Amino acid sequence: MNHRRVNRRRGAVAVAAAAAVVAAATLLPHADASTDKPSRDEPGTPRTFTSQSAAHLAASLEPGVREKTAGWYLDGSTGRMVVNVTAEEAARRVEATGAVPRIVRNSTAALRGATRTLSDRASVPGTAWSIDPKTNKVVVTADRTVTGAKLDALMKVAGGMGELVRVKRSSGEFKRYEGSPPPVGTGRPGSRTRARGDAPAAGALIGGRAIFGGGSRCSLGFNVTVQGAPAFLTAGHCGNASRTWTADQAGGTPLGTVVDSQFPGADFALVTYDDPNAQAASAVDLLNGTVQQISGAAEANVGMRVQRVGSTTGLKDGTVTGLGATVNYGNGDIVNGLIQTDVCAEPGDSGGSLFADDSAVGLTSGGSGDCTQGGETFFQPVTAALRATGAALGAGGGAAQR
């Protein structure tokens, strides 16, 4: 098991995850073309897209066109796919596909260069940044702890990059979302003083349910299979907190053992079930009496509508707002390559499932705010965790990306 201070693959995984997710702003993995349902017959007429069909189109653009794009996003109000381009010829080629071209100033290379500059010169605890194709900028968020000299240093670096970077403030504080077990017998079922899904289970749980270990409470993300054995993914900072996890607060129902935990750099852990015959269904418990089946994994894209479920706050929904995010939780805990959203979360939701329809998308890492006031939340991409661990979703047939 690789824990935080003896993490042999941390650097490689962090770089791979960051590169994969940032690259998704301009080039996402191939999707099943059958999901592409155009709303018009005439070439060049704007049409509506799903996340999958938009990703398919982005991947199918000619290399000469892709080189002149600077990210894309879905317009949630119209279903149109907006593609940023830096040249008129590329705009005409994009328009012919049915997407909406938008000529912008900042190239992908310039935006990525800005993120490297921030990492090198402005890595201040309490900050986060991600590439936002809607504004064609790198958006930096500073939480309420960033004041005085730290804020001055951040603003100096950001100001030196001009229109490449926009800085905004958060009224909350960036933190990981692991929680403490609630006092035994307190609260009513489903209340915030009691973990949702806190009940003994035989063999295996499904996504969103509470897991307990080392005095911490987290949430199960997605069930997987690795080398034929049943296992599950959760947050890496949860995997660092305890080697063993149980399905109940008292610790009387053993659940699984951590075999790989990556944090900081990335934020995922692989936990094998103690029962080798556990029936680990590929599903998420919506904690409202219903279950969502999970049949594959998908890369996130800005504008994607997503849902999150965790053992503290249950089911919440929102939108992906940034890709390739870096968040500095302090004390050297910096994570790269994350998905940024406006979906709320609270302590105890760490590791929980982020999904879009039947596709696994992310594992809850941390953020600021809560489900009363809102805020920003960051997620480890599931696709990067699957690649790094060699795991497959569910019983082994659900690892294909869409």
Side-chain angles (χ1 to χ4, degrees):
M1 177 178 65
N2 293 334
H3 281 298
R4 175 175 171 181
R5 301 309 177 191
V6 288
N7 193 338
R8 295 190 298 271
R9 293 189 297 166
R10 184 181 70 199
V13 172
V15 171
V21 180
V22 174
T26 54
L27 177 61
L28 294 181
H30 286 274
D32 184 350
S34 65
T35 63
D36 189 350
K37 298 179 180 179
S39 61
R40 71 2 166 194
D41 295 321
E42 293 299 323
T45 301
R47 67 192 199 196
T48 58
F49 288 82
T50 64
S51 291
Q52 291 88 353
S53 62
H56 176 73
L57 176 59
S60 66
L61 291 173
E62 298 174 10
V65 177
R66 288 202 301 267
E67 291 171 0
K68 294 179 175 61
T69 61
W72 61 272
Y73 63 92
L74 288 177
D75 184 330
S77 63
T78 65
R80 303 284 169 79
M81 177 185 181
V82 181
V83 181
N84 293 335
V85 295
T86 57
E88 288 283 357
E89 177 58 27
R92 288 191 289 271
R93 303 295 287 274
V94 166
E95 187 175 31
T97 68
V100 178
R102 184 178 70 147
I103 295 181
V104 296
R105 182 183 299 272
N106 299 323
S107 67
T108 296
L111 294 169
R112 291 179 181 172
T115 64
R116 290 192 293 270
T117 298
L118 289 165
S119 294
D120 292 341
R121 299 174 52 199
S123 187
V124 177
T127 59
W129 51 79
S130 63
I131 294 175
D132 177 15
K134 288 188 176 183
T135 61
N136 188 227
K137 297 178 185 292
V138 175
V139 178
V140 180
T141 305
D143 74 14
R144 65 187 179 193
T145 69
V146 182
T147 59
K150 293 193 297 182
L151 180 60
D152 292 342
L154 173 65
M155 296 304 294
K156 182 177 181 180
V157 173
M161 289 185 281
E163 63 180 16
L164 277 168
V165 175
R166 178 171 71 93
V167 179
K168 66 177 186 176
R169 298 305 305 267
S170 171
S171 60
E173 180 178 345
F174 289 130
K175 57 190 174 184
R176 303 166 304 187
Y177 279 140
E178 77 272 25
S180 299
V184 176
T186 63
R188 64 186 185 283
S191 74
R192 290 188 183 176
T193 56
R194 177 175 175 181
R196 294 170 184 252
D198 179 7
L205 300 178
I206 60 176
R209 299 297 296 270
I211 57 175
F212 301 85
S216 295
R217 172 171 57 87
C218 289
S219 300
L220 190 148
F222 298 98
N223 281 324
V224 297
T225 301
V226 59
Q227 296 181 350
F232 64 85
L233 295 172
T234 188
H237 63 267
C238 296
N240 287 355
S242 178
R243 181 173 181 268
T244 59
W245 290 83
T246 65
D248 65 323
Q249 179 181 338
T253 309
L255 190 63
T257 303
V258 177
V259 295
D260 191 1
S261 186
Q262 305 287 330
F263 181 86
D267 197 1
F268 66 85
L270 177 67
V271 185
T272 55
Y273 281 106
D274 292 336
D275 179 0
N277 297 313
Q279 299 300 305
S282 188
V284 172
D285 188 345
L286 304 185
L287 303 179
N288 60 7
T290 63
V291 169
Q292 171 65 59
Q293 299 297 321
I294 299 296
S295 60
E299 298 279 6
N301 56 74
V302 171
M304 174 187 271
R305 295 293 299 175
V306 289
Q307 293 178 291
R308 178 202 58 76
V309 67
S311 63
T312 299
T313 58
L315 181 67
K316 303 294 179 182
D317 61 12
T319 304
V320 174
T321 59
L323 300 173
T326 292
V327 59
N328 188 331
Y329 293 119
N331 298 315
D333 292 340
I334 301 172
V335 188
N336 304 303
L338 300 179
I339 302 162
Q340 184 170 348
T341 78
D342 59 10
V343 186
C344 71
E346 296 182 7
D349 289 331
S350 274
S353 324
L354 182 75
F355 57 99
D357 298 321
D358 64 346
S359 295
V361 176
L363 306 166
T364 307
S365 175
S368 69
D370 55 36
C371 288
T372 299
Q373 299 178 345
E376 304 85 12
T377 303
F378 300 91
F379 298 84
Q380 163 70 47
V382 163
T383 50
L386 293 174
R387 287 192 294 268
T389 60
L393 284 170
Q401 292 184 21
R402 299 177 175 187

